């Protein structure tokens, strides 16, 4: 992190920002002793009240409550350090695990980009126990196989929480423990009997830890924050989110990539573990949503120009609790320049603009990725002809697929054919 200069020797008396992670419960004595030597101390009121009880100091630091605007308080703290002051920032738990330290680091990244002189801030982080570590030790629960999540932002994708055999989740407004449990049960009703542990107010006189089912948490009266641990006992594993039933999506007319076709499209895209996927002409958003659920660290930009279809996409994103898809309402050609650079592009519709969409998509791809590609699906002969004649990229593969699905005919069963689908895979010429 180029904005941070870490002192190699003993702490300097001036011009230093110390960030102390205080763990859970009272501030440790050794931290209190160091903090009281500072010029200024920034913390939430609960931590500040512990410091104000100290007496016998010839010189007491100026105390600053970081609430109600932590970012404003952090800017003031940075300004004081720049003036040569010795400043301390206190955080409960671990400051760098969904704490104020992460906010500080992100803020400094932004400030550094705006500075031409490359001036660095002298800062030192002091580690402390995270709340989930304290909880696991209190109940004797080994946590080396746990997956860690936070839903503090309220916009987390929820499916990965249920897909983990053992998940430890930090909750917070608007997703309180009970609201989160309600959302998880709605997403996967078979999880209602899954065993879990609910913990609130760790390290305080009101500490509460209980083992129950996820449905029990739904009806519990919980506070705004807490830790919810999902255990493997009683869990019904979620299926792979690939080729979900068409009924799982709201869609207009026939603007839906068929269930049997979606896995073919996604396999041609060879989705990266993270990065950016464009879905141009997203229709119902089914390809975007399944790509996002398969790759939770991949970001998807879904572009759709028809307002009614956009409303369907919004509904489908909410019903599947997907947060790593951003919907862009408008014309794909007009919006492409404002989208993040893609690693993959899927074009599900383009009409007369298809050649230009394809050309610009190939030009926008991340050229450092040898697997970067544009995948286009086509049903009509006219679209197929356009794609066969396209010369501004390398046509790596054409797949023509006929699919028939079972359908009743009286007391018998017949195979009913779907539209033949053609899938084209293009790569940029300079990736050859």
């Amino acid at each position: 992190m180029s904005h941070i200069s870490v002192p190699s020797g003993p702490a300097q008396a001036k011009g230093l920002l110390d960030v102390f992670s205080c763990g859970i419960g009272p501030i440790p004595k050794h931290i209190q002793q160091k903090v009281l030597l500072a010029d200024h101390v920034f913390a939430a009121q609960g931590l500040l009240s512990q410091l104000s009880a100290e007496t016998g100091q010839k010189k007491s630091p100026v105390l600053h409550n970081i609430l109600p605007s932590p970012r404003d308080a952090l800017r003031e703290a940075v300004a004081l350090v720049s003036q040569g002051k010795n400043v301390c920032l206190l955080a409960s738990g671990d400051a760098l695990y969904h704490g104020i330290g992460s906010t500080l680091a992100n803020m400094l990244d932004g400030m550094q980009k705006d500075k031409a002189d490359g001036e660095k801030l002298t800062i030192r982080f002091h580690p402390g126990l995270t709340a989930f570590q304290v909880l696991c030790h209190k109940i004797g629960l080994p946590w080396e196989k746990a997956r860690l999540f936070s839903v503090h932002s309220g916009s987390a994708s929820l499916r990965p929480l249920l897909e983990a055999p053992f998940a430890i989740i930090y909750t917070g407004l608007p997703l309180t423990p009970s609201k989160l449990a309600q959302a998880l049960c709605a997403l996967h009703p078979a999880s209602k009997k899954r065993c879990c542990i609910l913990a609130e107010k760790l390290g305080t006189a009101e500490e509460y830890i209980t083992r129950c089912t996820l449905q029990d948490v739904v009806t519990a009266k919980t506070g705004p924050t807490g830790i919810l641990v999902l255990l493997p006992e009683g869990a019904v594993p979620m299926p792979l989110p690939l080729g979900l039933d068409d009924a799982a999506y709201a869609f207009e007319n026939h603007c839906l990539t068929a269930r049997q076709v979606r896995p073919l499209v996604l396999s041609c895209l060879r989705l990266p573990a993270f990065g950016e996927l464009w879905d141009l002409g997203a229709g119902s958003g089914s390809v975007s949503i399944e790509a996002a659920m398969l790759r939770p660290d991949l970001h998807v930009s879904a572009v759709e120009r028809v307002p009614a279809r956009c409303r369907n996409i919004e509904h489908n994103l909410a019903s599947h609790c997907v947060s790593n898809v951003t919907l862009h309402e408008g014309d794909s050609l007009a919006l492409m320049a404002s989208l993040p650079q893609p690693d993959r592009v899927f074009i599900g519709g383009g009409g007369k603009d298809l050649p230009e969409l394809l050309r610009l998509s190939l030009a926008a791809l991340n050229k450092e990725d040898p697997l970067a590609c544009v995948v286009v699906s086509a049903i009509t002969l006219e679209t197929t002809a356009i794609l066969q004649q396209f010369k501004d990229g390398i046509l790596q593969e054409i797949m023509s697929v006929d699919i028939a699905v079972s359908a009743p005919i009286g007391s018998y069963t017949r195979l009913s054919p779907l539209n033949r689908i053609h899938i084209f895979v293009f790569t940029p010429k300079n990736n050859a």
Side-chain angles (χ1 to χ4, degrees), residues 33 42 53 76-77 96 214 217 252 289 296 320 378:
Q33 292 169 359
F42 289 75
E76 183 181 358
L96 291 175
L214 197 56
V217 182
E252 179 195 44
I289 289 170
H320 290 282

Side-chain angles (χ1 to χ4, degrees), residues 126 131 149 192 249 336 353 355 416 418:
H126 302 263
F149 301 92
K192 291 181 179 180
Y249 298 101
M336 289 172 74
D353 294 327
S416 178
L418 303 179

Side-chain angles (χ1 to χ4, degrees), residues 224-298:
T225 61
I227 299 178
L228 185 62
V229 181
L230 301 183
L231 301 171
E233 293 90 344
V236 177
M238 297 194 78
L240 187 71
L242 183 63
L244 300 180
D245 288 340
D246 291 351
Y249 298 101
F251 57 95
E252 179 195 44
N253 296 328
H254 299 288
C255 290
L256 174 74
T257 302
R259 174 177 67 83
Q260 298 85 356
V261 175
R262 268 175 256 136
L264 297 175
V265 169
L266 294 172
S267 70
C268 290
L269 284 166
R270 301 182 71 179
L271 295 172
F274 54 90
E276 176 75 15
L277 166 67
W278 289 358
D279 182 2
L280 306 181
S284 66
S286 61
V287 170
S288 290
I289 289 170
E290 292 187 19
M293 291 192 292
L294 287 167
R295 291 298 204 184
D297 293 317
L298 178 70

Side-chain angles (χ1 to χ4, degrees), residues 403-424:
I403 300 174
V405 297
S406 61
I409 178 169
S411 59
Y412 296 89
T413 303
R414 66 184 179 89
L415 288 174
S416 178
L418 303 179
N419 289 325
R420 173 178 287 185
I421 186 81
H422 308 281
I423 301 174
F424 291 73

